[in-house]
């Protein structure tokens, strides 16, 4: 048996698979986010441990004998979080999360230093880890002076599981301290934020062994000795391992809280000017590109809260047939945007509203706005040298066939739906645990699920969608500076 632990923003998920990769069971425990000031987003790392204990306890209650057979554990986690520890591994302050934008000034200052883009292959985004440490240095100097270790969220979980200070390439590529092409820490980038390599965890590949489970936890969870903990992956790379998105130009679109267009690459293809993320993959000698939008289902959930109707009711009002884009355009920049704008200050907007604009009109515009934002990511990946022929859809938003038709038509690419099953980050993490414990071939282990259905672009609406997309593109420069 192999256990995958996915430390997300809203909860921890534990999934158990057997040696044939059949899912035996899963359990989850919720997490809350603290927002002490506008733009701030924090969590207490102690809550991650509590939630992990709850999730594993749920699995143990349902499958006690299966837990006894666990030989490997894989980790997945929310990226970019700054978990600061002192010399005794005590947490110095709440973890500053990926969606915290307080360090936008520090990010801009670091990004103006050419070596950051040159070595990391990425813009220094406000959500990344390095500018968070620059903010702590400026605003909480007494804490910065005590920092002995900087760990990403899942790697703090690893420390608790194994006692080891270790990270891996895919998650570390989101810190702005990794030389992404060479897959190692950059001492010059660390020095630019007044840090040293000794404050960073050791680096391994996601498929490598990265410690063994502490006997105390093994006894409590009913596991044997010598349980291997894999390097693991950042959440999107772990989802890619679960989806089998590990080969050249294999891609998925994730419609979760945020939206992601993820493409695997056999070589390192940075293009920071397009605001595409170029990160290491969880598998050795593999990289990936990723366009990220900050509000995907979050945009529909916001619309749901304002209208007082459920997301399912709102999309249900549109029917099953894709509609021609109307005069109303929605920009889904409710909390800023990453790809392609790298703009933390921009905010969302409806344009083209009239007396005739109904609730259904606005719902249609919201779905189209997210589809066009994903199209922005596709264009950014193309500018970075990646050509896609199709994508696979995952995430909660993929339950809406209307939305998938909209995305397929906006991208002018077929969208595949995987067969029923949970192929997300926890499953990918369990696969990495299997590889680390058994030495199985990574590519052969991370195979793609069967395709249940394919949503083709609506050929009759591709031209109309293209016109609407170009209108969408003209709106950002028109409102930039007017919404902050």
């Amino acid at each position: 048996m192999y256990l995958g632990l996915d430390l997300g923003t809203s909860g921890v998920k534990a999934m158990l698979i057997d040696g044939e990769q059949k899912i035996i069971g899963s359990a989850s425990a919720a997490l809350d986010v603290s927002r002490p000031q506008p733009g701030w987003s924090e969590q207490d790392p102690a809550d991650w441990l509590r939630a992990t204990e709850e999730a594993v306890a749920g699995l143990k209650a349902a499958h006690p004998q299966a837990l006894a057979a666990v030989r490997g554990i894989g980790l997945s986690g929310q990226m970019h979080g700054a978990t600061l520890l002192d010399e005794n591994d005590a947490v110095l302050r709440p973890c500053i999360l990926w969606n915290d934008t307080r360090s936008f000034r520090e990010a801009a200052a670091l990004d103006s230093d050419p070596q950051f883009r040159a070595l990391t292959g990425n813009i220094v985004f406000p959500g990344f880890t390095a500018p968070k440490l620059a903010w702590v240095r400026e605003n909480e100097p007494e804490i910065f002076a005590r920092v002995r270790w900087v760990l990403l969220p899942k790697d703090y979980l690893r420390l608790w599981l194994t006692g080891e200070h270790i990270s891996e390439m895919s998650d570390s590529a989101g810190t702005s301290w990794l030389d992404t092409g060479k897959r190692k820490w950059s001492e010059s980038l660390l020095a630019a934020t007044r840090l040293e390599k000794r404050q960073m965890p050791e680096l391994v590949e996601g498929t490598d062994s990265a410690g063994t489970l502490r006997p105390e936890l093994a006894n409590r969870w009913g596991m044997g000795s010598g349980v291997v903990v894999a390097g693991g992956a950042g959440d999107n790379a772990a989802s890619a391992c679960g989806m089998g998105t590990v080969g050249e130009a294999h891609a998925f679109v994730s419609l979760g809280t945020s939206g992601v267009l993820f493409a695997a690459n056999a070589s390192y293809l940075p293009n920071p000017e397009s605001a595409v993320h170029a990160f290491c993959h969880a598998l050795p000698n593999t990289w990936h590109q990723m366009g990220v939008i900050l509000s995907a289902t979050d945009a529909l959930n916001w619309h749901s809260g304002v209208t007082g109707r459920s997301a399912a009711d709102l999309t249900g009002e549109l029917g099953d047939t894709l509609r021609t884009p109307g005069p109303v355009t929605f920009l889904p920049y409710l909390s800023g945007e990453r790809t392609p704008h790298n703009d933390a200050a921009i905010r969302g907007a409806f344009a083209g509203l009239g007396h005739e604009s109904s609730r259904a009109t606005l719902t249609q515009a919201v779905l189209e706005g997210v589809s066009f934002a994903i199209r922005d990511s596709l264009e950014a990946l193309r500018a970075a040298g990646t050509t896609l022929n199709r994508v696979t859809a995952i995430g909660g938003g993929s339950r809406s066939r209307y939305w998938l038709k909209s995305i397929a038509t906006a991208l002018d690419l077929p969208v595949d739906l995987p067969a029923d099953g949970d192929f997300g980050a926890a499953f990918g993490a369990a696969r990495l645990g299997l590889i680390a414990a058994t030495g199985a071939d990574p590519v052969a282990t991370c195979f793609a699920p069967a395709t249940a259905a394919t949503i083709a672009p609506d050929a009759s609406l591709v031209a109309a969608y293209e016109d609407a997309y170009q209108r969408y593109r003209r709106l950002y420069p028109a409102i930039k500076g007017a919404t902050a």
Side-chain angles (χ1 to χ4, degrees):
M1 298 290 170
Y2 305 94
L3 176 65
L5 295 174
D6 175 35
L7 169 55
T9 313
S10 59
V12 172
K13 183 173 185 177
M15 177 177 287
L16 196 63
I17 67 172
D18 66 14
E20 302 301 316
Q21 301 196 33
K22 176 186 175 184
I23 296 175
I24 304 303
S26 64
S28 300
L31 291 169
D32 293 322
V33 174
S34 172
R35 301 186 185 278
Q37 294 189 38
W40 290 29
S41 180
E42 300 181 341
Q43 284 179 330
D44 182 349
D47 288 341
W48 303 338
L49 310 186
R50 183 263 312 159
T52 302
E53 289 272 29
E54 287 183 19
V56 174
L59 270 182
K60 183 180 179 181
H63 308 281
Q65 293 180 332
L67 274 190
V70 168
R71 294 294 174 265
I73 298 174
L75 303 178
S76 162
Q78 50 168 302
M79 296 179 68
H80 313 306
T83 314
L84 310 183
L85 309 181
D86 68 11
E87 60 184 7
N88 298 313
D89 290 336
V91 175
L92 291 169
R93 67 168 333 281
C95 177
I96 307 175
L97 301 188
W98 62 274
N99 54 353
D100 186 294
T101 58
R102 76 183 74 178
S103 62
F104 66 95
R105 293 185 184 88
E106 290 80 5
L110 295 178
D111 193 52
S112 68
D113 181 345
Q115 66 173 331
F116 276 89
R117 293 193 185 191
L119 293 174
T120 72
N122 293 278
I123 292 171
V124 182
F125 290 92
F128 283 13
T129 320
K132 293 180 171 70
L133 268 292
W135 183 92
V136 172
R137 187 182 75 242
E138 293 297 322
N139 294 275
E140 299 173 347
E142 71 289 351
I143 289 177
F144 186 83
R146 296 173 60 198
V147 172
R148 172 62 182 87
W149 296 100
V150 181
L151 296 183
L152 294 160
K154 81 170 193 321
D155 299 322
Y156 179 75
L157 188 59
R158 181 199 323 281
L159 175 63
W160 175 67
L161 293 170
T162 69
E164 302 283 354
H165 301 88
I166 297 175
S167 189
E168 48 69 48
M169 306 300 175
S170 69
D171 214 356
S172 297
T175 62
S176 291
W177 291 314
L178 193 77
D179 184 328
T180 307
K182 294 182 178 178
R183 302 172 87 93
K184 67 177 186 179
W185 295 121
S186 166
E187 296 195 36
S188 65
L189 297 182
L190 288 163
T193 44
R194 310 296 192 271
L195 293 169
E196 301 175 12
K197 186 179 176 182
R198 68 177 186 84
Q199 293 169 289
M200 296 295 110
E202 176 189 348
L203 288 173
V204 301
E205 296 291 347
T207 53
D208 288 343
S209 171
T212 56
L213 187 64
R214 291 190 294 115
E216 174 194 349
L217 288 174
N219 291 336
R220 187 153 75 237
W221 293 350
M223 297 180 185
S225 62
V227 176
V228 171
V229 178
D235 49 7
N236 285 297
S239 292
C241 292
M243 287 296 301
T245 309
V246 296
E248 177 73 18
H250 292 185
F252 69 78
V253 58
S254 174
L255 284 175
T257 300
S258 58
V260 172
L261 183 61
F262 182 111
N265 307 112
S267 58
Y268 175 46
L269 296 172
N271 186 13
E273 289 71 26
S274 66
V276 164
H277 298 344
F279 290 161
C280 301
H281 209 321
L283 276 59
N285 301 313
T286 308
W287 287 260
H288 70 82
Q289 294 166 314
M290 190 166 63
V292 178
I293 67 171
L294 294 180
S295 297
T297 60
D298 237 13
L300 182 60
N301 291 337
W302 166 80
H303 182 47
S304 170
V306 170
T307 59
R309 300 291 293 270
S310 72
D313 285 346
L314 290 170
T315 57
E317 283 185 329
L318 300 180
D320 295 326
T321 302
L322 191 64
R323 301 182 179 196
T324 303
V328 179
T329 303
F330 175 71
L331 302 184
Y333 308 145
L334 300 177
S335 56
E337 193 54 292
R338 283 203 188 170
T339 308
H341 303 304
N342 183 31
D343 190 338
I346 193 70
R347 288 296 179 264
F350 281 108
L353 294 171
H355 287 292
E356 70 281 1
S357 300
S358 65
R359 181 174 60 210
T361 301
L362 302 189
T363 301
Q364 179 185 347
V366 168
L367 301 188
E368 289 170 358
V370 172
S371 299
F372 293 146
I374 293 168
R375 168 69 181 276
D376 271 348
S377 289
L378 177 65
E379 296 301 329
L381 261 63
R382 285 173 173 161
T386 294
T387 300
L388 302 181
N389 296 315
R390 61 194 315 114
V391 297
T392 300
I394 61 173
S398 65
R399 289 192 292 267
S400 168
R401 287 296 180 101
Y402 186 98
W403 210 346
L404 294 181
K405 291 176 186 176
S406 176
I407 291 169
T409 306
L411 302 183
D412 198 15
L413 292 175
V415 176
D416 295 326
L417 275 176
D420 285 345
D422 189 341
F423 306 107
F427 183 66
R431 280 180 157 178
L432 294 172
L434 185 158
I435 294 166
T438 67
D441 179 79
V443 175
T445 302
C446 297
F447 57 86
T451 297
T454 296
I455 310 299
D458 187 330
S460 69
L461 292 179
V462 167
Y465 259 73
E466 180 64 26
D467 290 343
Y469 172 65
Q470 295 303 328
R471 184 175 68 223
Y472 171 92
R473 289 283 296 166
R474 291 192 295 270
L475 279 171
Y476 170 78
I479 70 167
K480 181 175 172 57
T483 63

